Amino acid sequence: MAHDHTVKSFDVELRRLVQEIAQMGGLAEEQLAQAIDALARRDSEAASKVIESDRRIDTMEHEAGNLAVRILALRQPMATDLREVVAAIKISSDIERIGDYAKNIAKRALQLNQLGPLRPVSSIPRMGRLAQQIVKDVLDAYVEKDAALAVAAWRRDEEIDDLYTSLFRELLTYMMEDPRNIGPSTHLLFIAKNIERIGDHATNIAETVHFLALGRTIDETRPKGDTTNVALDG
């Protein structure tokens, strides 16, 4: 009976851990959507709210980490259960980074609002929506332990990279056409790079989910469409 109670308690804690990661992911997904919307509408108030709400994600990552460590220390899980706990730790770290990049987008949106509007750059909202969808799909895959959904989302990251490459070239053209475009174009480049990095973290989650569900890595080369090789973060 004591063993049954221990197993039941472990299952409860494991379910709680998965729920916390899912809630954290939902918040990061929402932050990304709000950051892109604030950018598109040049809404400084909405951008400021995104920046402020990032603290909640950081707090949730800390709490999830504490729970995972507690499970590892007290339950000493093996095999599939151990994979579940390790996956939760890795995924919470990727979600926290996604939240950071959403915050960075909001910060850049605030700075852009101090400058004159640049001609519409449709690629950024498209990149943002695509990143949102990929993040949503990998989080759904995590909750459902759906390896096929994880792989499908993983493959779509290449679309984000391709959009980033074309946008990079477009913005360089704007900067060469008129020096007044350099300031806003630079902010947009950083925003695009942040979205591209969100895509990378979503593919990390997809790989973790695949390993969690099947016990093996994705048997394909990681998709990478970005050929600009430019280090832009922040």
Side-chain angles (χ1 to χ4, degrees), residues 144-177:
E144 296 160 20
K145 293 190 178 61
D146 187 333
L149 180 58
V151 172
W154 181 84
R155 289 187 183 126
R156 295 196 72 195
D157 182 54
E158 193 170 0
E159 295 175 47
I160 294 181
D161 294 334
D162 289 340
L163 281 170
Y164 174 73
T165 301
S166 63
L167 177 67
F168 183 88
R169 291 173 182 148
E170 185 182 354
L171 288 169
L172 280 185
T173 303
Y174 290 173
M175 287 190 263
M176 287 187 285
E177 281 176 359

Coordinates of all heavy atoms in Angstrom, one line a residue, residues 144-177:
E144 N 0.5 16.6 -25.2 CA -0.1 15.3 -25.7 C 0.9 14.2 -26.0 O 0.6 13.1 -26.4 CB -0.8 15.6 -27.0 CG -2.0 16.6 -26.8 CD -2.5 17.3 -28.1 OE1 -2.1 16.8 -29.2 OE2 -3.1 18.3 -28.0
K145 N 2.2 14.6 -25.8 CA 3.3 13.6 -26.1 C 3.2 13.1 -27.6 O 3.3 11.9 -27.8 CB 3.4 12.5 -25.1 CG 3.8 12.9 -23.7 CD 4.0 11.7 -22.9 CE 4.5 12.0 -21.4 NZ 3.4 12.8 -20.7
D146 N 3.0 14.1 -28.5 CA 2.7 13.8 -29.9 C 4.0 14.0 -30.7 O 4.3 15.2 -31.1 CB 1.6 14.6 -30.3 CG 1.1 14.3 -31.7 OD1 1.9 13.8 -32.5 OD2 -0.1 14.6 -32.1
A147 N 4.7 13.0 -31.0 CA 6.0 13.1 -31.7 C 5.8 13.6 -33.1 O 6.6 14.4 -33.6 CB 6.8 11.8 -31.7
A148 N 4.7 13.2 -33.8 CA 4.5 13.6 -35.2 C 4.2 15.1 -35.3 O 4.7 15.8 -36.2 CB 3.3 12.8 -35.7
L149 N 3.4 15.6 -34.3 CA 3.1 17.0 -34.3 C 4.4 17.8 -34.0 O 4.6 18.9 -34.6 CB 2.1 17.4 -33.2 CG 1.7 18.8 -33.1 CD1 1.1 19.4 -34.4 CD2 0.6 19.0 -32.0
A150 N 5.2 17.3 -33.1 CA 6.5 18.0 -32.8 C 7.4 18.0 -34.1 O 8.0 19.1 -34.4 CB 7.2 17.2 -31.7
V151 N 7.5 17.0 -34.8 CA 8.3 16.9 -36.0 C 7.8 17.9 -37.1 O 8.5 18.6 -37.8 CB 8.5 15.5 -36.6 CG1 9.2 15.5 -37.9 CG2 9.2 14.6 -35.6
A152 N 6.5 17.9 -37.3 CA 5.9 18.8 -38.3 C 6.2 20.2 -37.9 O 6.5 21.0 -38.8 CB 4.3 18.6 -38.3
A153 N 6.1 20.6 -36.7 CA 6.4 22.0 -36.2 C 7.9 22.2 -36.4 O 8.3 23.3 -36.9 CB 6.0 22.2 -34.8
W154 N 8.7 21.3 -36.1 CA 10.2 21.4 -36.2 C 10.6 21.7 -37.7 O 11.5 22.5 -37.9 CB 10.8 20.0 -35.8 CG 12.2 19.9 -35.8 CD1 13.1 20.2 -34.8 CD2 13.0 19.2 -36.8 NE1 14.4 19.9 -35.1 CE2 14.4 19.2 -36.3 CE3 12.7 18.6 -38.0 CZ2 15.4 18.7 -37.1 CZ3 13.7 18.0 -38.7 CH2 15.1 18.1 -38.3
R155 N 9.9 21.1 -38.6 CA 10.3 21.3 -40.0 C 9.9 22.7 -40.5 O 10.6 23.2 -41.4 CB 9.5 20.3 -40.9 CG 10.1 18.9 -40.8 CD 9.4 17.9 -41.8 NE 9.9 16.6 -41.6 CZ 9.1 15.5 -41.4 NH1 7.8 15.7 -41.4 NH2 9.6 14.3 -41.3
R156 N 8.9 23.3 -39.9 CA 8.5 24.6 -40.3 C 9.4 25.8 -39.9 O 9.3 26.9 -40.4 CB 7.1 24.9 -39.8 CG 6.0 24.0 -40.3 CD 4.6 24.5 -40.1 NE 4.3 25.7 -40.9 CZ 3.3 26.5 -40.7 NH1 2.5 26.3 -39.7 NH2 3.1 27.5 -41.5
D157 N 10.4 25.5 -39.1 CA 11.3 26.5 -38.7 C 12.1 27.1 -39.9 O 12.5 28.3 -39.9 CB 12.3 26.0 -37.6 CG 13.3 27.1 -37.1 OD1 12.8 28.1 -36.7 OD2 14.5 26.9 -37.2
E158 N 12.3 26.3 -40.9 CA 13.0 26.7 -42.1 C 12.2 27.9 -42.8 O 12.9 28.8 -43.3 CB 13.1 25.5 -43.0 CG 14.1 25.8 -44.2 CD 14.4 24.6 -45.0 OE1 13.9 23.5 -44.7 OE2 15.2 24.7 -45.9
E159 N 10.9 27.9 -42.6 CA 10.1 29.0 -43.2 C 10.5 30.3 -42.6 O 10.5 31.3 -43.2 CB 8.6 28.7 -43.1 CG 8.1 27.5 -43.9 CD 6.6 27.2 -43.6 OE1 5.8 28.2 -43.6 OE2 6.3 26.0 -43.3
I160 N 10.6 30.3 -41.2 CA 11.0 31.5 -40.5 C 12.4 32.0 -41.0 O 12.6 33.1 -41.2 CB 11.0 31.2 -39.0 CG1 9.6 30.9 -38.5 CG2 11.6 32.4 -38.2 CD1 9.5 30.7 -37.0
D161 N 13.3 31.0 -41.1 CA 14.7 31.4 -41.5 C 14.6 32.0 -42.9 O 15.4 33.0 -43.2 CB 15.6 30.2 -41.5 CG 15.8 29.6 -40.1 OD1 15.7 30.4 -39.2 OD2 16.1 28.4 -40.0
D162 N 13.8 31.5 -43.8 CA 13.7 32.0 -45.2 C 13.1 33.4 -45.2 O 13.6 34.3 -45.9 CB 12.9 31.1 -46.1 CG 13.6 29.8 -46.4 OD1 14.8 29.7 -46.3 OD2 12.9 28.8 -46.8
L163 N 12.1 33.6 -44.3 CA 11.5 35.0 -44.2 C 12.6 36.0 -43.7 O 12.6 37.1 -44.1 CB 10.3 34.9 -43.3 CG 9.0 34.4 -43.9 CD1 7.9 34.2 -42.8 CD2 8.5 35.4 -45.0
Y164 N 13.3 35.5 -42.7 CA 14.4 36.4 -42.1 C 15.4 36.8 -43.1 O 15.8 37.9 -43.2 CB 15.1 35.6 -40.9 CG 16.2 36.4 -40.4 CD1 16.0 37.6 -39.6 CD2 17.5 36.0 -40.6 CE1 17.1 38.3 -39.1 CE2 18.6 36.8 -40.1 CZ 18.4 37.9 -39.4 OH 19.4 38.7 -38.9
T165 N 15.8 35.8 -43.9 CA 16.8 36.1 -45.0 C 16.3 37.2 -46.0 O 17.0 38.1 -46.3 CB 17.2 34.8 -45.7 OG1 17.7 33.9 -44.8 CG2 18.3 35.1 -46.8
S166 N 15.1 37.0 -46.4 CA 14.5 37.9 -47.4 C 14.3 39.3 -46.8 O 14.6 40.3 -47.4 CB 13.2 37.4 -48.0 OG 12.2 37.3 -47.0
L167 N 13.9 39.3 -45.5 CA 13.7 40.6 -44.8 C 15.0 41.3 -44.6 O 15.1 42.5 -44.7 CB 13.0 40.3 -43.4 CG 12.8 41.5 -42.5 CD1 11.8 42.5 -43.2 CD2 12.4 41.1 -41.2
F168 N 16.0 40.5 -44.2 CA 17.4 41.1 -44.0 C 17.8 41.9 -45.3 O 18.3 43.0 -45.2 CB 18.3 40.0 -43.7 CG 19.7 40.5 -43.4 CD1 20.1 40.8 -42.1 CD2 20.7 40.5 -44.4 CE1 21.4 41.2 -41.8 CE2 22.0 41.0 -44.1 CZ 22.3 41.3 -42.8
R169 N 17.6 41.3 -46.5 CA 18.0 41.9 -47.7 C 17.1 43.1 -48.0 O 17.6 44.1 -48.5 CB 17.9 40.9 -48.9 CG 18.9 39.8 -48.8 CD 18.7 38.7 -49.8 NE 19.7 37.6 -49.6 CZ 19.5 36.4 -49.9 NH1 18.4 36.0 -50.3 NH2 20.5 35.5 -49.7
E170 N 15.9 43.0 -47.7 CA 14.9 44.1 -48.0 C 15.3 45.3 -47.1 O 15.4 46.5 -47.6 CB 13.5 43.7 -47.6 CG 12.4 44.7 -47.9 CD 11.0 44.2 -47.5 OE1 10.9 43.0 -47.1 OE2 10.1 45.0 -47.6
L171 N 15.6 45.1 -45.9 CA 16.0 46.2 -45.0 C 17.3 46.8 -45.3 O 17.5 48.0 -45.2 CB 16.0 45.7 -43.5 CG 14.6 45.5 -42.9 CD1 14.6 44.8 -41.6 CD2 13.8 46.8 -42.8
L172 N 18.3 46.0 -45.8 CA 19.5 46.5 -46.2 C 19.3 47.5 -47.4 O 20.0 48.5 -47.5 CB 20.5 45.4 -46.6 CG 21.2 44.7 -45.5 CD1 22.2 43.7 -46.1 CD2 22.0 45.6 -44.6
T173 N 18.4 47.1 -48.3 CA 18.1 48.0 -49.5 C 17.6 49.3 -49.0 O 18.0 50.4 -49.5 CB 17.1 47.3 -50.4 OG1 17.6 46.0 -50.8 CG2 16.8 48.1 -51.6
Y174 N 16.6 49.3 -48.0 CA 16.1 50.5 -47.5 C 17.2 51.4 -46.9 O 17.2 52.6 -47.1 CB 15.1 50.2 -46.4 CG 13.8 49.6 -46.8 CD1 12.8 49.1 -45.9 CD2 13.5 49.4 -48.2 CE1 11.6 48.5 -46.3 CE2 12.3 48.8 -48.5 CZ 11.4 48.4 -47.6 OH 10.2 47.8 -48.0
M175 N 18.1 50.8 -46.2 CA 19.2 51.6 -45.5 C 20.1 52.2 -46.6 O 20.5 53.4 -46.4 CB 20.0 50.7 -44.6 CG 19.2 50.4 -43.3 SD 20.3 49.6 -42.1 CE 19.9 47.9 -42.3
M176 N 20.3 51.5 -47.7 CA 21.2 52.1 -48.7 C 20.5 53.2 -49.5 O 21.1 54.1 -50.0 CB 21.7 51.0 -49.7 CG 22.7 50.1 -49.0 SD 23.4 48.9 -50.1 CE 22.1 47.7 -50.3
E177 N 19.1 53.0 -49.6 CA 18.4 54.0 -50.4 C 18.3 55.4 -49.7 O 18.4 56.4 -50.3 CB 16.9 53.5 -50.5 CG 16.7 52.5 -51.6 CD 15.3 52.0 -51.7 OE1 14.4 52.4 -50.8 OE2 15.0 51.1 -52.5

